[in-house]
Amino acid sequence: MILRYLVALPCYNNSETVEKVIVDTLNTTQFSVLVVDDGSDVPVQAGLTAPVIRAALESGRLQFLRHSENLGKGAAIQSAFKWALQRNFTHVLTMDTDGQHLAHLIGKVIERSLENPWSLIIGSRKWQEGTVPGSSKFGRKFSNFWVNFETGYKALDSQSGFRAYPLFHVQNLSFFTKKYDFEIEVLIRLLWNNVDVQEVDIEVYYPPGKERVTHFNKFS
């Protein structure tokens, strides 16, 4: 099987960080990149000026897909799945655009995916004490508990958005969630369907509290 990977970057109002994430992704990988603009107040593409981005647009390596309104992170990822399937990609690697995920680790996640092409690969975030909000720690523990309760799988980081999805396993699934909870739902549904899940340790960057920005709304 010839494996074709698409890096999908869901984005909503991450104007301070998205350009660097796109540039780093283009500079550290050779993969095609799709930015899914989930109805940002100002279209993501309008504010980008880096030469590497212009070159990637001209070559077709970089593409933009924009929702006319904010639908949620899960909806953005599902749009990426559909876009990728229509173009014969076999896998979608998702990475957040708030600067938390580091583009140079894409290769680490895809390396494991290449070794296990039928598996869902999750980048399990290694957190340094004192840098992570208490709410994030609680959320991960709570989410891990429910994944284990529903499936028996003891997840290390069931909330991580740094993932390599094998499209064969998601193409015929129906989902109920469209927000942050999509990443929990798709994990549980894949486990229910006996899809192998593997996790690899990744470093992440958490800016100081006053600089930390998140726009994806979990509830609306």
Side-chain angles (χ1 to χ4, degrees):
M1 179 174 63
I2 298 176
L3 304 182
R4 297 185 66 226
Y5 288 83
L6 173 73
V7 178
L9 306 175
C11 181
Y12 176 59
N13 286 352
N14 288 129
S15 58
E16 298 297 320
T17 54
V18 63
E19 181 163 25
K20 184 178 188 305
V21 172
I22 297 171
V23 168
D24 288 350
T25 301
L26 293 171
N27 283 335
T28 59
T29 78
Q30 297 299 315
F31 302 109
S32 296
V33 179
L34 175 70
V35 178
V36 184
D37 180 354
D38 188 30
S40 297
D41 295 340
V42 177
V44 172
Q45 190 172 353
L48 306 178
T49 60
V52 67
I53 291 177
R54 293 199 299 270
L57 281 168
E58 291 173 1
S59 70
R61 182 183 166 208
L62 173 64
Q63 301 279 341
F64 285 82
L65 176 65
R66 177 171 166 82
H67 293 166
S68 59
E69 59 182 316
N70 179 232
L71 300 177
K73 185 183 183 185
I77 294 172
Q78 290 177 65
S79 290
F81 288 167
K82 182 178 180 180
W83 192 95
L85 284 164
Q86 291 172 343
R87 291 159 179 82
N88 298 316
F89 287 95
T90 60
H91 292 72
V92 167
L93 182 139
T94 58
M95 190 174 75
D96 293 348
T97 55
D98 60 1
Q100 175 190 154
H101 295 152
L102 306 175
H104 72 269
L105 295 172
I106 290 173
K108 183 176 184 179
V109 175
I110 288 185
E111 181 180 8
R112 179 67 68 87
S113 178
L114 288 168
E115 295 169 351
N116 304 272
W118 301 105
S119 302
L120 169 66
I121 310 300
I122 299 176
S124 178
R125 295 165 293 176
K126 293 171 62 177
W127 286 342
Q128 294 181 351
E129 288 299 321
T131 64
V132 183
S135 58
S136 295
K137 293 181 181 179
F138 172 79
R140 180 156 82 173
K141 289 181 180 179
F142 185 76
S143 172
N144 288 351
F145 168 81
W146 279 108
V147 169
N148 179 246
F149 180 81
E150 290 287 346
T151 69
Y153 174 72
K154 294 183 178 180
L156 298 174
D157 191 358
S158 58
Q159 289 188 325
S160 174
F162 203 149
R163 300 180 175 189
Y165 291 93
L167 292 176
F168 177 82
H169 293 307
V170 300
Q171 61 185 332
N172 294 319
L173 294 179
S174 297
F175 301 101
F176 296 101
T177 53
K178 294 182 181 296
K179 311 297 181 182
Y180 265 113
D181 46 1
F182 168 78
E183 287 166 325
I184 307 301
E185 181 188 3
V186 68
L187 172 59
I188 288 174
R189 287 188 178 277
L190 290 176
L191 287 166
W192 281 345
N193 281 276
N194 297 313
V195 174
D196 180 56
V197 176
Q198 299 189 26
E199 300 184 54
V200 295
D201 288 341
I202 60 168
E203 294 77 28
V204 292
Y205 171 70
Y206 268 89
K210 292 182 179 180
E211 299 177 17
R212 194 174 298 131
V213 178
T214 181
H215 291 290
F216 278 115
N217 192 303
K218 300 179 183 180
F219 306 107
S220 63

